[in-house]
Amino acid sequence: MALPAPNEIIIEGRSIRVRGLVQGVGFRPTVWKIARKCGLEGDVLNDGAGVRIRAWGSTSDLDMFLQQLKEQAPPLSRIDSIEWEDLTSPFPEQGFHIVASEGGHVETGIVPDASICTACQDEISNPQNPRYRYPFTNCTHCGPRLSIVQALPYDRDHTSMAGFQMCPSCQGEYDDPSDRRFHAQPNSCPDCGPQAWLENADGDRLDVSGFRDAVDAAATFIRAGKIVAIKGIGGFHLACDAGNEDAVVMLRQRKHRYGKPLALMARDLEMASGYVSINAMERDALIGSESPIVVLERKKRGLSLASGVAPGQTCLGFMLPYTPLHLVLMADMQRPIVLTSGNRSEEPQVTENGEA
């Protein structure tokens, strides 16, 4: 066998398997971008085991690709392992491509639902943006995952969004590997996606023509002392004005919950800081993608809330808006709301409208 010329670049192929939480997080477009940057040819797809990559290039470019893949993985992903073996067959096409998913034995998982990212926050807060105040805005960096998936691989046809056909604009985002909504399975907009509505306890839809939208109407009712059930990711919450004594008392009576503290949602960190002290670690937890309820110490001279929110407690449990619906709801609130589970004690989570 003839030896290669001194300056000749040897092209090799590798079949690469990435395992972990790597579906529904923008992993394939990340692979696509890094592979193109490294000058590789090949393809990437989802299957039951995670992500499979076939890549051809020089040894140094392939090594660089694998290193950058570890360093630049999408923020919501979790790589458990990267395995590879040599490929002997030449790649039949030029360029690097994202190809259709394959099935197979399921060995991978889906990441949990993630709180709204800053880019989506900016869109729904901008009156000039088509997604202004759209309560179901999402991208590959945020939004529902686990709560909508019905089967793997994680493709739109395998989610509860399958019945919503994307408009040309959303389809263009979905098909563009350079867009942050590339293969964002819940991708939608006001023209083609789910809609919010407001109904009474009998299930009759209310006329909200006098408001900006149904969420604006719900926020108005909360400020007026009403109790509103809000359907979020995975279930229902009951909400009321946390500064309204009568509303908090009524909520406790209806839930038959008389002693335990109630969770609160603030519009932002600035609002929460009027009532509680927040250190750096607590701040990071509040704004993290998990969006937990964080127990915080009350300020001795902080703003006051209804006495029934957390009777006898020196701490308050706060969270920040973690979905676009909550962000829109809280936009015009001047003080926190109570946001507590709508389920009866010791009963399974209610997810269907009729049962709620």
Side-chain angles (χ1 to χ4, degrees), residues 44-227:
V44 57
L45 58 77
N46 281 344
D47 62 12
V51 169
R52 192 208 71 192
I53 305 164
R54 296 189 305 166
W56 281 261
S58 68
T59 300
S60 61
D61 288 341
L62 288 165
D63 289 343
M64 182 187 301
F65 168 75
L66 291 174
Q67 183 61 36
Q68 292 189 6
L69 192 59
K70 297 175 184 176
E71 296 172 351
Q72 301 175 28
L76 295 181
S77 67
R78 189 195 75 208
I79 297 177
D80 291 339
S81 66
I82 298 179
E83 308 153 6
W84 64 271
E85 59 185 12
D86 290 325
L87 281 173
T88 56
S89 58
F91 186 61
E93 298 182 42
Q94 291 186 339
F96 198 91
H97 308 276
I98 299 173
V99 297
S101 299
E102 294 180 356
H105 178 64
V106 175
E107 300 175 6
T108 190
I110 294 294
V111 298
D113 304 324
S115 63
I116 182 170
C117 69
T118 55
C120 285
Q121 287 183 38
D122 291 342
E123 289 180 342
I124 68 173
S125 301
N126 180 4
Q128 307 305 317
N129 192 281
R131 288 186 172 89
Y132 176 58
R133 292 183 62 85
Y134 182 55
F136 304 103
T137 300
N138 66 89
C139 70
T140 53
H141 302 310
C142 68
R145 300 289 191 281
L146 190 61
S147 64
I148 65 170
V149 69
Q150 297 168 338
L152 292 174
Y154 178 65
D155 290 326
R156 193 177 180 96
D157 289 345
H158 295 158
T159 73
S160 56
M161 289 295 293
F164 295 92
Q165 183 174 354
M166 284 181 281
C167 66
S169 177
C170 287
Q171 190 69 53
E173 296 170 330
Y174 185 87
D175 293 334
D176 182 0
S178 65
D179 195 286
R180 81 176 197 279
R181 292 193 168 96
F182 176 76
H183 281 216
Q185 306 308 340
N187 189 30
S188 61
C189 74
D191 294 331
C192 64
Q195 304 296 317
W197 71 88
L198 188 64
E199 62 184 45
N200 61 22
D202 295 324
D204 301 320
R205 293 201 183 190
L206 302 181
D207 180 9
V208 297
S209 57
F211 304 90
R212 283 179 292 180
D213 47 43
V215 183
D216 182 38
T220 302
F221 285 137
I222 291 172
R223 289 194 298 269
K226 305 295 184 182
I227 297 172

